Amino acid sequence: MKLLEERIKKDGKALGKTVLKVDSFINHQVDSEFMDALGKDFAEHFKDCGITKVFTIESSGIAPALMTAKYLDVPMIILKKQTSKILNGKVYQTRVTSFTKGTSYELTLYQDYIDPSDKVLLIDDFLANGEAAMGASRLIKESGAELSGIGILIEKSFQKGRKRLEDAGYYVYSQARIGRLDKGVIEFLPEDAP
Ligand code: G4P
Ligand code: NA
Ligand code: NA
């Protein structure tokens, strides 16, 4: 998606070979008009998939997920990162480990907000190793609903997330695909690259 690539070229900062800083428009300061445009693009892309709910993982996925849900005219649900187990039987919960940040958390979803008939679109800001998305897929599967698509703002294609998700049978659409990062260097891949 040209709009996101152009913005990353203008405002993104590659700190080294693995991390891209996008604090000024996605992760810290948020550009609402820009998020609206990204949400519109996701909605357009997934409009024929029968999506009934948009899911995201707190916190940076919320803004684009909300805009996507607005354009698809469906609810948006935020998966929580609980630190302790709630043992009342009303949640789906799974542990997710982040290799980028060296942390782990209990990804949590109240059972009230998903139904076996749901077709879910998962939206997130970054795709690295795919741990968060695989965690979300486990919760959705456990509920009996279907994960019908995954929409990512920035895919780091040199990490294994996309392949893992595709190998697990999920369809992934990334608005920007990054083939290589290095200090001051950001190289994009075309949308249809393998
Ligand atoms: P994975 O789920 O694909 O395996 O990703 P990983 O564990 O590597 O990512 C953990 C956190 O780090 C996520 O944020 C993710 O968005 C963020 N992240 C991964 N790579 C980058 C990067 O290159 N740049 C930036 N800015 N963030 C990156 P999170 O901990 O879930 O927090 P939040 O930002 O959503 O609150
Ligand atoms: Na995130
Ligand atoms: Na993030």
Side-chain angles (χ1 to χ4, degrees):
M1 189 213 187
K2 275 279 162 274
L3 185 71
L4 181 53
E5 283 188 16
E6 292 307 320
R7 188 65 182 263
I8 292 169
K9 282 181 201 161
K10 183 160 102 42
D11 293 330
K13 289 185 179 59
L15 301 183
K17 291 182 190 302
T18 54
V19 175
L20 176 68
K21 294 268 284 178
V22 288
D23 280 10
S24 69
F25 62 110
I26 296 175
N27 289 142
H28 201 348
Q29 172 169 262
V30 182
D31 180 335
S32 61
E33 285 299 331
F34 187 70
M35 288 300 154
D36 188 279
L38 299 187
K40 199 172 189 175
D41 178 70
F42 279 133
E44 178 62 28
H45 195 91
F46 289 100
K47 68 174 189 288
D48 298 324
C49 299
I51 301 300
T52 60
K53 275 170 191 158
V54 173
F55 275 34
T56 191
I57 299 163
E58 60 179 349
S59 62
S60 300
I62 295 173
L66 182 64
M67 297 302 174
T68 305
K70 181 184 83 160
Y71 283 107
L72 286 173
D73 196 19
V74 298
M76 186 269 284
I77 285 95
I78 304 164
L79 298 177
K80 307 280 191 178
K81 295 170 175 169
Q82 299 269 127
T83 49
S84 66
K85 287 233 176 207
I86 298 167
L87 296 168
N88 63 5
K90 292 197 171 136
V91 295
Y92 297 115
Q93 218 164 31
T94 189
R95 178 157 288 270
V96 170
T97 300
S98 161
F99 295 104
T100 305
K101 295 195 173 171
T103 54
S104 68
Y105 53 85
E106 294 291 337
L107 193 66
T108 301
L109 167 64
Y110 271 88
Q111 295 185 357
D112 289 356
Y113 302 122
I114 193 159
D115 185 88
S117 64
D118 277 324
K119 290 170 77 79
V120 176
L121 170 61
L122 176 68
I123 300 288
D124 210 354
D125 58 341
F126 274 94
L127 177 59
N129 294 301
E131 287 297 328
M134 287 303 294
S137 80
R138 291 193 292 277
L139 296 186
I140 293 161
K141 198 176 214 170
E142 196 183 343
S143 76
E146 179 185 301
L147 177 54
S148 305
I150 300 171
I152 299 292
L153 274 62
I154 303 171
E155 172 191 310
K156 296 193 288 182
S157 309
F158 53 89
Q159 294 184 275
K160 62 179 193 286
R162 188 192 183 100
K163 185 173 186 316
R164 275 184 77 190
L165 295 172
E166 287 183 344
D167 287 350
Y170 299 114
Y171 170 74
V172 180
Y173 165 57
S174 302
Q175 291 177 324
R177 301 184 68 195
I178 294 179
R180 192 172 77 92
L181 285 177
D182 212 332
K183 210 168 163 29
V185 177
I186 305 170
E187 283 178 14
F188 293 95
L189 289 180
E191 192 182 318
D192 60 358

